[in-house]
Amino acid sequence: MTDVLDTAAPAGITVTPLSGHIGAQIDGIDISRPLSPEALTTIQDSLNRWKVVFFRDQDLDHGAQIAFGRQFGELTYAHPHDDTPPDGYPEIYTVDPRRFNEQYGISDEEARRIRKYSYTNGWHTDVTPAVNPPAGSILRADVVPAFGGDTTFTNLVAAYGSLSDGVKQLLDGLRAEHFYGAGGNRLSKVSTFGNKIEKNRLVAHHPVVRVHPVTGEKGLFVNPVFTDHIVDVSPLESRWILDFLYAHLARNEFTVRFKWEPGSVAFWDNRATAHLGPQDLGHVDVDRVLHRVTLIGDVPVGPDGFESQLIEGVPFRSAPVFGN
């Protein structure tokens, strides 16, 4: 591993690692235009190595963001519980507290009691209640505050790799149940949104450790927002295991923190990371609007060959998961 510029990148492109385990900034690529084979390979290789890559000063609209994402695979519908993506752009999921509050009739008083600048308030991997969570997510900044509002990412492969062999052996054979509303997610308790989730339940059993389908690396695959419990163990044992893993995956040495600017884009491997939205804006009245597309994912597989099981709902694809 190097702590300097990636000298393997093609001429004119630089890949700058941002921390010891995760995150790299890529410069010299205009991602609003079709990528050259060399640029595409550089981004994919950097993503495999650093798990999340960042671009600055990009000029993207919805169409360009969708076109960029499609060069890496088929895109999902905006979000399993979002039935109002921008007109003509069903792949776009907009992260905007005012839009969310209007969509679900959340009063100003209710909004003050819940997270305002992210649909969830804890570490999470995107849409793990689906049997095939997204392979990757691409998030671009539209409107961001002058201060605060950072996103933090953690490397779940590095977190797993640091564990002792005995703990790895234990985890390699465990499965966990994921669903919306697990982990005390406060947005899921809002009546209209909670009713929508309950009416259209999405539940899956995943391996606690998944094998990355491209790199072959093993990584933790639990998160405090969507993972409810370890199956086939007692509730006390489940809570003990999960509490340990949640604290472990959030350790600083596995993380990188990203400061958003207009034109910033983050592209993360959803199979090997978790992320934490802003934790410092709940008391500040500022605008923060970002737009996300996600790549259709495969069904996770554990070290013992266990494939994730769909318990309720349908796979996450390019069509809406549920009817309006």
Side-chain angles (χ1 to χ4, degrees), residues 110 114 181-195 197:
E110 287 176 312
I114 61 178
N185 182 359
R186 280 178 283 177
L187 282 180
S188 70
K189 309 306 179 186
V190 176
S191 57
T192 305
F193 187 60
N195 289 341
I197 290 173

Side-chain angles (χ1 to χ4, degrees), residues 30-269:
D30 179 359
I31 65 173
S32 71
R33 303 170 63 86
L35 299 174
S36 68
E38 294 79 13
L40 187 66
T41 298
T42 296
I43 295 171
Q44 188 61 70
D45 288 349
S46 299
L47 196 62
N48 291 340
R49 181 175 181 183
W50 295 107
K51 315 309 179 193
V52 56
V53 295
F54 306 107
F55 305 88
R56 297 285 191 186
D57 302 318
Q58 299 292 323
D59 184 14
L60 299 176
D61 57 15
H62 291 335
Q65 182 177 7
I66 290 168
F68 172 68
R70 283 180 174 158
Q71 294 173 89
F72 297 90
E74 187 180 357
L75 299 181
T76 70
Y77 183 73
H79 189 278
H81 296 293
D82 182 5
D83 52 17
T84 58
D87 289 343
Y89 302 100
E91 302 89 349
I92 295 286
Y93 174 66
T94 296
V95 181
D96 178 358
R98 289 174 175 81
R99 172 182 173 274
F100 186 93
N101 295 345
E102 291 174 1
Q103 182 178 4
Y104 293 105
I106 300 172
S107 68
D108 291 342
E109 182 179 354
E110 287 176 312
R112 283 191 291 271
R113 291 200 301 264
I114 61 178
R115 295 301 306 171
K116 293 173 61 179
Y117 296 97
S118 177
Y119 79 95
T120 185
N121 68 327
W123 284 101
H124 64 286
T125 299
D126 287 334
V127 199
T128 61
V131 71
N132 61 327
S137 296
I138 301 166
L139 186 65
R140 68 177 166 99
D142 186 356
V143 179
V144 292
F147 59 90
D150 299 354
T151 301
T152 306
F153 299 84
T154 191
N155 183 336
L156 298 179
V157 171
Y160 173 84
S162 72
L163 297 170
S164 67
D165 289 343
V167 173
K168 289 177 183 176
Q169 269 192 318
L170 169 66
L171 299 178
D172 283 357
L174 296 179
R175 299 87 167 85
E177 182 165 294
H178 295 231
F179 67 86
Y180 280 90
N185 182 359
R186 280 178 283 177
L187 282 180
S188 70
K189 309 306 179 186
V190 176
S191 57
T192 305
F193 187 60
N195 289 341
K196 187 181 186 72
I197 290 173
E198 188 59 31
K199 180 181 176 181
N200 300 307
R201 281 174 59 82
L202 200 58
V203 184
H205 285 179
H206 293 302
V208 169
V209 176
R210 74 175 294 181
V211 179
H212 196 285
V214 176
T215 68
E217 297 170 312
K218 296 180 184 179
L220 297 177
F221 202 62
V222 294
N223 67 87
V225 167
F226 296 132
T227 305
D228 185 68
H229 65 276
I230 307 292
V231 301
D232 297 327
V233 302
S234 73
L236 183 62
E237 291 167 333
S238 173
R239 182 47 47 202
W240 176 79
I241 294 168
L242 289 175
D243 283 348
F244 166 73
L245 293 179
Y246 297 159
H248 182 69
L249 66 85
R251 283 168 49 181
N252 286 341
E253 61 261 42
F254 306 131
T255 68
V256 66
R257 181 166 173 164
F258 186 62
K259 169 65 179 175
W260 294 96
E261 300 170 349
S264 296
V265 175
F267 183 1
W268 62 91
D269 188 332

